[in-house]
């Protein structure tokens, strides 16, 4: 099993910045894709950004140019740098990872961290 623990959520004013981090832990695993999803009240969970082990990135159009995703393969961490935050960015952000563990390819989720952007 792989455990994902997020940190960095909080309250920030519009236009401000916040950095989310996710640490993956476990035994004998490797995650080909790690990323972030978010879910705002009354909305479906949506993709924010992903990054592969080869550092190929993918962003939702709504965050492109404002958010940057990165990862440290050695440390098994993924980071989301969020700049120029808008009230519509308010949501619970979930770390996601697709990992090879125990001879199986599985998907894992963090518990979520709340990001609130005030206007």
């Amino acid at each position: 099993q792989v455990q994902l623990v997020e940190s960095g959520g909080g309250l920030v004013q519009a236009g401000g910045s916040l950095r989310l981090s996710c640490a993956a832990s476990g035994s004998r695993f490797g995650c080909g894709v790690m990323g972030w999803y978010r879910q705002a009240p009354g909305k479906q969970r949506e993709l924010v950004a992903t990054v592969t082990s080869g550092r190929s990135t993918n962003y939702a159009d709504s965050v492109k140019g404002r958010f940057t995703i990165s990862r440290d393969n050695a440390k098994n961490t993924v980071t989301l740098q969020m700049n120029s935050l808008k009230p519509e960015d308010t949501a619970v952000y979930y770390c996601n990872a697709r990992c090879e563990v125990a001879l199986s390819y599985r998907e894992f989720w963090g518990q979520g961290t709340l990001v609130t952007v005030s206007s």
Side-chain angles (χ1 to χ4, degrees), residues 2-3 7 9 15 18 23 32 36 40-41 44 62 67 75 77 80-81 93 95 100 103 105 110 112 116:
V2 174
Q3 293 78 46
S7 63
L18 210 59
W36 292 91
Q44 293 184 326
S62 60
F67 292 8
K75 297 181 179 179
T77 59
L80 185 69
Q81 177 65 46
Y93 285 70
C95 182
E100 185 76 21
L103 304 179
Y105 189 65
T116 303

Side-chain angles (χ1 to χ4, degrees), residues 11 16-17 21 36 50 57 59 63 66 69 71-72 87 92 95 97 100-101 104 107 109-110 112 114:
L11 175 65
S17 299
S21 295
W36 292 91
T50 61
T57 59
Y59 296 92
V63 307
R66 299 187 298 119
I69 190 169
R71 66 183 289 171
D72 187 323
V92 176
C95 182
E100 185 76 21
V101 57
S104 298
E107 186 173 50
W109 292 91
L114 178 63

Side-chain angles (χ1 to χ4, degrees), residues 30-34 96-108:
C31 303
V33 183
M34 299 184 75
N96 171 266
R98 302 166 196 170
C99 313
E100 185 76 21
V101 57
L103 304 179
S104 298
Y105 189 65
R106 302 177 181 178
E107 186 173 50
F108 300 91

